[in-house]
Amino acid sequence: MPIKFFEIFEEKLEELKKNYLYRSINDIDSKTTMEIIIDGKKFINFASNDYLGLSQHPVVKQAAIEAIKIFGVGAGASRLLSGGTIIHKKLEELLCEFKNTQSSLILNSGYTANTSLIPSIAQENDIIFSDELNHASIIDGCRLSKAEKIIYKHCELEDLQKLLKNSNCKGKKIIITDTVFSMDGDIAPIKELYELCKNEEALLYLDDAHGTGVLGDGFGALRHFKLNPDESIIQMGTFSKALGAFGAFVCSSSTLINWFINSARGFIFSTALPPSIVASAYASLKIIKEDKSLIKKLWQNTLQVKEIINNLELKTTNTQTPIIPILFEDIESAKNASKLLQDFYIYAPLIRPPTVKTPRIRLTVTAAHTLEDIERLKEALKNLQGQIGMGIKI
Ligand code: PLP
């Protein structure tokens, strides 16, 4: 019996390998800003969501060290028992100021946030309208909820309008979207979605994981679209990307936050984030709020890399952010391209189905990339372009 058990999964793994879908982990030996060392070899990291380089910022690192000195390492319990600290509270107060909302709540990761908050607001008789390219954590959150789920075509307002009109909803309508789509780098039409929500008396749930610290002078997607938060908007975001830390948050009205405290299972039944991580997220948020130089550098670097991609006529998406994918016809070509970039010491692994439909190398630009890093990327991409047609298809 145990032998059969192994055979089943070995066969499944073999199948994945045959179809170039097998994933493996590349752990890093050490890291300084965007330079990483893997198996003793130095690479420039173009595969990180640390958009502002804050994971290496001395103030952010020191904040974690000081918090460990005072509170120790682990939180030791959930927030509703004894796991919360004054630092958790201070971060939630700062988040309210930052996102201009009545209330906020820290959650343990973006994945936990979406899989806990969505089932907590979307219940029987409700309908969720979800963009087809929403992040996997949103998809899983929708699956866990008892509401009906309707998927609309990526960023297509007409399709969404039609689906809303044809739906027979006895409860609440909830529209859920990533603000910045993590694999394509495009931005959802938040202004129009907000207006639609007003007309339909629907709730708008925004996953601002890649918008926070990047869009709207760092404040996120709502500021980017010059929209003010109100009671019909739920803003979720993460500390794990531009804030260079770990964890997530939700900002909304006091009523909704109190509801989450009383119903979101990933909040109630999980140990609180370690105070050191919370202290780092607090330090990062303060930097983003007060110092715009990193955001300026991020966008300068982004424009430079976009220009390189355009000049080389590499196939990309309708990206409007530092997430810049290069699209390939098949997985093998994308894999060869990623290897070729590695020969130039550029680290940008391929992203394959089922994460995305079209295989790609997802380049992410950060404020911590230097001119030399971008020059090296340019050389590597020139070489890649030279190889197109010779085994590499785009
Ligand atoms: N939402 C989006 C849009 C993401 O890209 C991610 C990260 O991969 C998550 C949620 C999950 O966030 P975390 O990595 O903090 O779990």
Side-chain angles (χ1 to χ4, degrees), residues 109-111 114 135 137 178 180 182 207 209-210 236 238 240-241 247:
S109 72
Y111 188 86
N114 284 333
H135 189 259
S137 55
D178 284 12
V180 175
S182 57
D207 178 337
H210 295 271
M236 168 267 170
T238 64
S240 52
K241 312 224 177 323

Side-chain angles (χ1 to χ4, degrees), residues 49 51 107-114 133-138 177-183 207-211 236-241 245-248 323 362:
N49 299 315
Y51 297 111
L107 291 123
N108 284 1
S109 72
Y111 188 86
T112 301
N114 284 333
L133 292 193
N134 275 343
H135 189 259
S137 55
I138 294 182
T177 185
D178 284 12
T179 58
V180 175
F181 289 87
S182 57
M183 291 298 140
D207 178 337
D208 208 16
H210 295 271
M236 168 267 170
T238 64
F239 307 131
S240 52
K241 312 224 177 323
F246 187 74
I323 300 166
R362 174 184 175 267

Side-chain angles (χ1 to χ4, degrees), residues 9 24 35 87 96 102 107 154 158 172 174 187 196 212 234 270 322 354 370 380 390:
F9 292 105
S24 56
E35 193 175 273
I87 314 183
C96 290
Q102 273 181 350
L107 291 123
H154 179 51
E158 267 183 35
K172 302 187 289 296
I174 304 160
I187 303 175
L196 207 52
T212 302
I234 298 168
S270 191
T370 61
M390 299 161 62

Side-chain angles (χ1 to χ4, degrees), residues 261-328:
I261 291 171
N262 284 279
S263 66
R265 295 173 69 80
F267 172 77
I268 300 171
F269 299 108
S270 191
T271 299
L273 274 189
S276 54
I277 278 296
V278 178
S280 291
Y282 181 89
S284 289
L285 205 60
K286 254 187 125 44
I287 292 170
I288 293 173
K289 195 163 169 259
E290 288 159 14
D291 173 8
K292 300 298 166 192
S293 62
L294 288 174
I295 294 165
K296 200 168 152 206
K297 181 81 184 346
L298 169 67
W299 284 100
Q300 275 170 357
N301 284 350
T302 299
L303 285 180
Q304 270 187 336
V305 173
K306 273 194 184 154
E307 201 178 296
I308 293 167
I309 302 274
N310 290 341
N311 288 344
L312 291 172
E313 296 180 0
L314 295 169
K315 196 167 168 197
T316 184
T317 57
N318 176 30
T319 175
Q320 296 151 273
T321 62
I323 300 166
I324 308 176
I326 305 173
L327 305 175
F328 294 87

